[in-house]
Amino acid sequence: MKVLCIGDIMGEPGRRAVARAVPRLVAQRQVDVVIGNGENVAGGFGITPELAEELFDMGLAVITTGNHAWDKKEALDYFSRQPRLLRPANYPAGVPGNGSVVVESAGGERLAVLQLMGRAYMPTIDCPFQTAKREVARLKRETLAVIVDMHAEATSEKMAMGHYLDGDVTAVVGTHTHVQTADEQILPKGTAYITDIGMTGPLHSVIGVKKELAIEKFLTAMPRRFEVASGPSVFCAVLVELDARLGKAIAMDRIRILD
Amino acid sequence: MKVLCIGDIMGEPGRRAVARAVPRLVAQRQVDVVIGNGENVAGGFGITPELAEELFDMGLAVITTGNHAWDKKEALDYFSRQPRLLRPANYPAGVPGNGSVVVESAGGERLAVLQLMGRAYMPTIDCPFQTAKREVARLKRETLAVIVDMHAEATSEKMAMGHYLDGDVTAVVGTHTHVQTADEQILPKGTAYITDIGMTGPLHSVIGVKKELAIEKFLTAMPRRFEVASGPSVFCAVLVELDARLGKAIAMDRIRILD
Amino acid sequence: MKVLCIGDIMGEPGRRAVARAVPRLVAQRQVDVVIGNGENVAGGFGITPELAEELFDMGLAVITTGNHAWDKKEALDYFSRQPRLLRPANYPAGVPGNGSVVVESAGGERLAVLQLMGRAYMPTIDCPFQTAKREVARLKRETLAVIVDMHAEATSEKMAMGHYLDGDVTAVVGTHTHVQTADEQILPKGTAYITDIGMTGPLHSVIGVKKELAIEKFLTAMPRRFEVASGPSVFCAVLVELDARLGKAIAMDRIRILD
Amino acid sequence: MKVLCIGDIMGEPGRRAVARAVPRLVAQRQVDVVIGNGENVAGGFGITPELAEELFDMGLAVITTGNHAWDKKEALDYFSRQPRLLRPANYPAGVPGNGSVVVESAGGERLAVLQLMGRAYMPTIDCPFQTAKREVARLKRETLAVIVDMHAEATSEKMAMGHYLDGDVTAVVGTHTHVQTADEQILPKGTAYITDIGMTGPLHSVIGVKKELAIEKFLTAMPRRFEVASGPSVFCAVLVELDARLGKAIAMDRIRILD
Ligand SMILES: [Fe+2]
Ligand SMILES: [Fe+2]
Ligand SMILES: [Fe+2]
Ligand SMILES: [Fe+2]
Ligand SMILES: [Fe+2]
Ligand SMILES: [Fe+2]
Ligand SMILES: [Fe+2]
Ligand SMILES: [Fe+2]
């Protein structure tokens, strides 16, 4: 089974880059399942039901999110209704939505996707490590093919999660920093890992935002309404090849396509 | 001129990787100047005069540091005496040491190295952007070839600095997260840029630390004495090719060598 | 000279409490100048020109603010036009508004008010200590009576400022935490000091916010639109008695009035 | 039943102030049980078995701690052995020590003490609110008299805890900021509350630390070995009067004694 995992999709430029790249990659590389992080599709802040449907229509089977999950109030109900739109599983009990889902490929193989969020420099929620152990055990009763989206800021927390789940899950892929890392690898016990898949969105920007606005924010510390940048885009993803029956990663390929 | 910039060198494994890789790269790729980040050479925490000399002997012309600059008390005086050992230039007035230096290549070309540190999730010091403008203007009276080590956690602050100095300096290279990013590029106005060069140190680790200790820290939130991991190493660097007379970047090559 | 310093005034309940308490206190205690922190008067978030005028009409000579200064866009211009509405002086160069002002009492005595903001767990701006030394020296050319509003979260940063300016200014009064502290004192070199004046606003609340909303925020980590609580109010202030000619504090009285 | 709750006891000056004040207060005010926060008794950083015994000998029945619980390695075992030395109950499973204890007064009445720690600007541990509900329910099977030490930085998190447990426990008393607040009150449903009891330790200091060292730290952002200040002390506590059978608070008196 081949799973294409797309990093944080940023606004309209990000959605367009997905629309262009996904069909081509699916065809060329025999992709079975596509997942992507949609926490920034709505103008950089959150996701709406319409935009989620648009991404599903482009071929995404599962959309993960993160700290921006709740930016659009109109999505709150939708999180409860749409099991393939995930929010971090380590949000406390009572928070709407689901943190994991099991989907099936066209070939009938099952893939579990689990979303976690780190806590270093991030919202203070339940422990992602405790949640991971519990949720992975539960999901593995349904399938051994488990991909974890670890949405976090600190490289240390993401790498710790990779090693913590090494041998237990198929892959741990990081999101949130909007910059692709070059450390894709198969960890010692067999789990595929990358610290951050990177953003899919405008290239000449500050993590997707118009650079002038971001710079001004750092210079003045005053609140600034951020806007998604324009210009050429970058599409960032990893392709995870795995044995779905054993849940074992075979390879992780890093993908970075400029317009 | 070709400048090899090495990312955070982690403990003894990092120093060994430098000793192995630098002579080979200098010879094979005609490197003129080598610089590297030494904030973690002393068992992961700081630097000592002896270890700095060891790195200079291995061919480093300039050592940059960061938030770990002050971990070893025995280095405090040395920072004041050794102009080629830098600490972030945006530490407030009165802090020992220097934030920039101009060195000369064997061919007689001058290169300025400026060290800055971000403030997002980092120690609260003077503004790196204000400091950058002032220091870059000063350094450019000596040479137009200026490389900036932007030691920071947040990808947004590093990219903002890249764009802020774009066209003004030769290159902005990020350090501190210990994970190499895959976004090396020439920015629109000509400055070479990478968000993080990545760590030089033990591969199977959590940013250089023994993974068991790092995981336990995340699971318990209790203080833990960290130890540098062992096993195979990774050497992370970028090679910046530049026109020293014009201060213009020609190319940035990302280097990641596994043992 | 007697100066009444009111803590963070929270929404409509806070404004009503000011309207009730100030005339009575001015009369009973022969208050010469009234100042107050207005960063939360507009429904808990920021200040508008209309609400600032309302506070000036109630007898405030100077309004200080803090991290909420910029919450209302309609106030941005007003900060530049109205010299008696302050924002922290240690915002970087280029930020609109003023960080200090000199006013005159009915009796013709001059009082300088300087606003600073701490950086621990707060927006990352210029150093309040460096700014304090520079601004205090400048203001003391106009009058020796100087009151500093140190808007900060960490008790350590506020106490450090108190001792840093001890003997140099008349009083350092803390704001921002919305809870009055019981440590009013004359520091060893003569400066009057309190860590926090406390909030003027709804008593049965979480720092002025409806308690149910605040609790839910802690339980879920989801964004919540905060609303100002209702019910009985508390009025928090300190009365600083000083020798305006010498700039020396004579006494600091803590005031906490329940509806 | 009358319970004397002492705030963070800072170093040797704090211990001496306890030794002086406690016997007198116990006698004069008929105190039944004394508890105190001991996280800073060992030179400002943590607690040792010897110093804990010293405090027990001075009459403390229970010692609470907080983020500094683990500063002294020699106390790790002792936390497991001594049930009357508490660490926050919301540390994750597997962490040594206990987060609550039930003690008996000389008159045979039982009092439960529960220690929690906030997470805003503090170590990232389990949710104090979830833990509170679970632990309070458990403790109330043993006694209805329950005092909660909420060790936290943010006033909002402490007030939210007060209201969250209002009517459920006898008292919620805050510690950690080292500055006594003036907001002692009986909340609407009957729980006694104060945001911070305040430090017991050297008065002319920055939260107990030598002021010169604290100021230098803010000015330079360099690591500084902190030392406990000397000079006159302040003793901070609250006296909670309660009906032990009903678990109802009758009164909370704030105590602040200068040398
Ligand atoms: Fe994102
Ligand atoms: Fe995110
Ligand atoms: Fe480092
Ligand atoms: Fe660093
Ligand atoms: Fe406020
Ligand atoms: Fe504030
Ligand atoms: Fe403490
Ligand atoms: Fe503490």
Side-chain angles (χ1 to χ4, degrees):
Chain A
M1 184 193 265
K2 282 181 174 171
V3 182
L4 182 72
C5 308
I6 307 168
D8 300 48
I9 303 164
M10 186 77 182
E12 201 273 330
R15 298 188 322 259
R16 256 190 303 132
V18 169
R20 263 194 317 271
V22 165
R24 205 170 50 197
L25 286 165
V26 166
Q28 285 172 356
R29 318 242 348 212
Q30 285 101 37
V31 172
D32 296 290
V33 180
V34 182
I35 70 174
N37 188 297
E39 71 157 9
N40 306 111
V41 287
F45 294 93
I47 189 165
T48 62
E50 293 68 35
L51 291 173
E53 299 291 342
E54 199 180 310
L55 291 177
F56 288 134
D57 288 347
M58 287 180 199
L60 273 72
V62 178
I63 302 170
T64 58
T65 55
N67 52 314
H68 285 291
W70 322 111
D71 286 2
K72 299 289 177 219
K73 278 187 295 285
E74 56 265 46
L76 273 187
D77 281 356
Y78 187 71
F79 268 101
S80 304
R81 287 198 322 268
Q82 173 48 274
R84 294 185 293 124
L85 173 64
L86 303 182
R87 47 77 176 167
N90 54 325
Y91 265 97
V95 167
N98 302 289
S100 63
V101 69
V102 176
V103 292
E104 211 160 287
S105 73
E109 289 178 313
R110 304 176 101 193
L111 173 76
V113 179
L114 170 62
Q115 163 115 63
L116 298 169
M117 188 157 75
R119 297 193 293 184
Y121 320 127
M122 293 288 269
T124 303
I125 56 176
D126 288 350
C127 176
F129 294 86
Q130 296 173 31
T131 303
K133 272 281 137 117
R134 191 187 62 226
E135 290 299 301
V136 165
R138 197 178 57 73
L139 290 167
K140 286 175 80 173
R141 281 183 238 123
E142 301 192 51
T143 174
L144 296 179
V146 180
I147 290 189
V148 175
D149 175 351
M150 175 65 173
H151 194 80
E153 175 73 27
T155 49
S156 59
E157 198 171 13
K158 286 157 135 174
M159 295 184 84
M161 184 61 79
H163 285 293
Y164 185 65
L165 296 179
D166 185 16
D168 235 25
V169 301
T170 310
V172 173
V173 296
T175 56
H176 175 73
T177 70
H178 289 209
V179 176
Q180 190 174 74
T181 57
D183 66 337
E184 73 279 9
Q185 60 193 282
I186 305 293
L187 297 174
K189 296 180 199 153
T191 293
Y193 173 81
I194 187 168
T195 295
D196 209 290
I197 300 174
M199 178 193 67
T200 289
L203 177 66
H204 297 312
S205 69
V206 172
I207 64 166
V209 169
K210 271 188 187 168
K211 60 193 182 194
E212 295 78 13
L213 302 180
I215 289 170
E216 199 189 312
K217 176 80 193 264
F218 281 110
L219 281 171
T220 65
M222 292 176 70
R224 251 339 246 143
R225 179 90 199 114
F226 281 153
E227 291 167 44
V228 175
S230 51
S233 280
V234 58
F235 173 90
C236 288
V238 291
L239 184 62
V240 182
E241 190 177 353
L242 59 104
D243 179 321
R245 207 174 43 80
L246 301 175
K248 274 286 157 208
I250 296 163
M252 175 182 275
D253 267 16
R254 189 160 47 78
I255 295 168
R256 190 168 188 269
I257 305 171
L258 295 174
D259 260 4
Chain B
M1 185 194 266
K2 283 181 173 172
V3 182
L4 182 72
C5 309
I6 307 169
D8 300 47
I9 302 163
M10 186 77 183
E12 201 273 331
R15 299 188 320 260
R16 257 190 301 130
V18 169
R20 263 195 316 273
V22 164
R24 204 171 49 199
L25 285 165
V26 166
Q28 285 174 356
R29 316 238 356 208
Q30 284 101 37
V31 172
D32 297 289
V33 180
V34 183
I35 70 175
N37 187 297
E39 70 158 8
N40 306 112
V41 288
F45 295 92
I47 189 164
T48 62
E50 292 70 34
L51 292 173
E53 300 291 343
E54 199 180 311
L55 290 177
F56 288 133
D57 288 346
M58 288 179 198
L60 273 73
V62 179
I63 301 172
T64 58
T65 55
N67 52 313
H68 286 292
W70 322 111
D71 286 3
K72 299 292 177 218
K73 277 186 294 287
E74 56 265 46
L76 275 187
D77 281 355
Y78 187 70
F79 268 100
S80 304
R81 288 197 320 267
Q82 175 47 274
R84 292 185 294 123
L85 172 64
L86 303 182
R87 46 79 174 165
N90 53 325
Y91 265 96
V95 167
N98 302 289
S100 63
V101 70
V102 176
V103 291
E104 211 161 289
S105 72
E109 290 177 312
R110 305 176 101 195
L111 173 76
V113 180
L114 169 62
Q115 163 113 63
L116 298 168
M117 187 157 75
R119 298 192 293 184
Y121 321 127
M122 294 289 269
T124 302
I125 56 177
D126 289 350
C127 176
F129 294 85
Q130 296 172 33
T131 304
K133 272 283 135 118
R134 192 187 61 226
E135 290 300 301
V136 165
R138 197 178 56 75
L139 290 166
K140 286 174 79 173
R141 279 182 242 126
E142 301 192 50
T143 172
L144 296 179
V146 180
I147 291 189
V148 175
D149 176 350
M150 174 65 174
H151 195 79
E153 174 73 29
T155 49
S156 58
E157 199 171 13
K158 286 157 135 173
M159 297 184 82
M161 184 60 80
H163 286 292
Y164 185 65
L165 295 180
D166 184 17
D168 237 25
V169 300
T170 310
V172 173
V173 297
T175 55
H176 174 72
T177 70
H178 289 210
V179 175
Q180 189 176 73
T181 57
D183 65 336
E184 72 280 8
Q185 60 194 280
I186 305 293
L187 296 175
K189 296 179 200 154
T191 294
Y193 173 80
I194 188 168
T195 295
D196 209 289
I197 300 173
M199 176 192 70
T200 289
L203 177 66
H204 298 312
S205 69
V206 171
I207 62 167
V209 169
K210 272 189 186 168
K211 61 192 182 195
E212 296 76 13
L213 301 180
I215 290 170
E216 200 189 311
K217 176 80 192 263
F218 281 110
L219 281 170
T220 65
M222 291 175 71
R224 249 343 243 141
R225 179 90 199 115
F226 281 153
E227 291 166 44
V228 175
S230 52
S233 280
V234 58
F235 173 89
C236 288
V238 290
L239 184 62
V240 181
E241 190 177 353
L242 60 105
D243 179 321
R245 207 176 41 82
L246 301 175
K248 275 286 157 207
I250 296 163
M252 176 182 276
D253 267 15
R254 190 160 47 75
I255 296 168
R256 190 168 187 268
I257 304 171
L258 294 175
D259 259 4
Chain C
M1 185 192 264
K2 284 182 174 170
V3 182
L4 182 72
C5 309
I6 307 169
D8 300 47
I9 302 164
M10 186 77 182
E12 201 273 331
R15 298 187 322 257
R16 256 188 303 130
V18 169
R20 263 196 316 272
V22 164
R24 206 170 47 200
L25 286 165
V26 166
Q28 285 173 357
R29 317 232 4 202
Q30 284 101 37
V31 171
D32 297 289
V33 180
V34 183
I35 70 174
N37 188 296
E39 71 157 8
N40 306 113
V41 287
F45 294 93
I47 189 165
T48 62
E50 292 70 33
L51 292 173
E53 300 291 343
E54 199 181 310
L55 291 177
F56 288 133
D57 288 346
M58 287 179 199
L60 273 72
V62 179
I63 302 171
T64 57
T65 55
N67 53 312
H68 285 292
W70 322 110
D71 287 2
K72 299 291 176 219
K73 278 187 292 287
E74 56 265 45
L76 274 188
D77 281 356
Y78 187 71
F79 268 100
S80 304
R81 289 198 319 268
Q82 174 49 272
R84 293 185 294 125
L85 174 64
L86 303 183
R87 46 78 174 167
N90 54 324
Y91 266 96
V95 166
N98 302 289
S100 63
V101 69
V102 176
V103 291
E104 211 160 289
S105 72
E109 290 177 313
R110 305 176 101 193
L111 173 76
V113 180
L114 169 62
Q115 163 115 63
L116 298 169
M117 189 157 74
R119 298 193 292 185
Y121 320 129
M122 294 289 269
T124 302
I125 55 177
D126 289 351
C127 175
F129 294 86
Q130 296 174 32
T131 303
K133 273 281 136 120
R134 191 186 63 225
E135 290 299 302
V136 165
R138 196 178 56 74
L139 290 166
K140 286 175 79 174
R141 280 183 240 126
E142 302 192 50
T143 172
L144 295 179
V146 180
I147 291 191
V148 175
D149 176 351
M150 175 65 174
H151 194 80
E153 174 73 28
T155 49
S156 59
E157 198 171 13
K158 286 157 135 172
M159 297 184 82
M161 185 60 79
H163 285 292
Y164 185 64
L165 296 179
D166 185 18
D168 235 25
V169 301
T170 311
V172 173
V173 297
T175 56
H176 175 71
T177 70
H178 290 211
V179 175
Q180 190 174 72
T181 57
D183 64 337
E184 72 279 7
Q185 61 194 279
I186 305 293
L187 296 174
K189 296 179 200 152
T191 293
Y193 173 81
I194 188 167
T195 295
D196 209 290
I197 300 173
M199 176 192 69
T200 289
L203 177 65
H204 298 313
S205 69
V206 172
I207 62 167
V209 169
K210 272 190 186 166
K211 61 192 181 193
E212 296 77 13
L213 301 180
I215 289 171
E216 200 189 312
K217 176 80 193 266
F218 281 110
L219 281 170
T220 65
M222 292 176 70
R224 255 332 250 146
R225 179 90 199 114
F226 280 152
E227 291 166 45
V228 175
S230 51
S233 280
V234 59
F235 173 90
C236 288
V238 290
L239 185 62
V240 181
E241 192 178 352
L242 59 105
D243 179 321
R245 208 175 40 85
L246 301 175
K248 274 286 158 207
I250 296 163
M252 175 182 276
D253 266 17
R254 189 160 48 77
I255 295 168
R256 190 168 187 267
I257 305 171
L258 294 175
D259 261 5
Chain D
M1 185 193 263
K2 283 182 175 171
V3 182
L4 181 72
C5 310
I6 306 168
D8 300 46
I9 302 162
M10 186 76 183
E12 202 272 330
R15 297 188 321 259
R16 256 188 303 129
V18 169
R20 264 195 316 272
V22 165
R24 205 170 49 198
L25 285 165
V26 166
Q28 286 173 355
R29 318 239 352 209
Q30 285 100 37
V31 172
D32 297 289
V33 180
V34 183
I35 70 175
N37 188 297
E39 72 157 7
N40 306 112
V41 287
F45 294 93
I47 189 164
T48 62
E50 293 68 34
L51 291 173
E53 300 291 342
E54 198 180 311
L55 290 177
F56 288 134
D57 288 347
M58 287 180 198
L60 273 72
V62 179
I63 302 170
T64 58
T65 55
N67 52 312
H68 286 291
W70 322 111
D71 286 3
K72 298 290 177 220
K73 278 187 295 285
E74 56 267 45
L76 274 187
D77 281 356
Y78 186 71
F79 269 100
S80 305
R81 289 197 322 267
Q82 173 49 274
R84 294 185 295 124
L85 173 64
L86 303 183
R87 46 77 174 167
N90 54 324
Y91 265 96
V95 167
N98 302 288
S100 63
V101 69
V102 176
V103 292
E104 212 161 288
S105 73
E109 290 178 312
R110 306 175 100 192
L111 173 75
V113 179
L114 170 62
Q115 163 115 63
L116 297 169
M117 188 157 74
R119 300 192 291 184
Y121 321 127
M122 292 289 269
T124 303
I125 56 177
D126 289 351
C127 175
F129 294 86
Q130 296 174 32
T131 303
K133 272 282 136 118
R134 190 185 65 225
E135 289 300 300
V136 165
R138 196 177 58 73
L139 290 167
K140 286 176 78 174
R141 280 183 241 124
E142 300 192 52
T143 173
L144 295 179
V146 180
I147 290 189
V148 175
D149 176 350
M150 175 66 174
H151 194 80
E153 174 74 27
T155 50
S156 59
E157 197 170 14
K158 286 157 136 172
M159 297 184 83
M161 184 60 80
H163 286 292
Y164 186 64
L165 296 179
D166 184 18
D168 236 25
V169 301
T170 309
V172 173
V173 296
T175 56
H176 175 72
T177 69
H178 290 211
V179 175
Q180 189 174 73
T181 58
D183 65 337
E184 71 280 9
Q185 61 194 280
I186 306 293
L187 296 174
K189 297 180 198 152
T191 293
Y193 172 82
I194 188 167
T195 295
D196 209 290
I197 300 173
M199 177 192 68
T200 289
L203 176 66
H204 297 312
S205 68
V206 172
I207 63 166
V209 169
K210 271 190 188 168
K211 61 194 182 192
E212 295 77 14
L213 301 180
I215 289 170
E216 199 188 313
K217 176 80 193 264
F218 281 110
L219 281 171
T220 64
M222 291 177 71
R224 248 343 244 140
R225 179 89 200 116
F226 280 153
E227 291 166 44
V228 175
S230 52
S233 280
V234 58
F235 173 89
C236 289
V238 291
L239 184 62
V240 181
E241 190 178 353
L242 59 104
D243 179 322
R245 206 175 42 82
L246 301 175
K248 275 286 159 207
I250 295 164
M252 175 181 276
D253 267 15
R254 188 159 49 77
I255 295 167
R256 189 166 190 269
I257 304 171
L258 294 175
D259 259 5

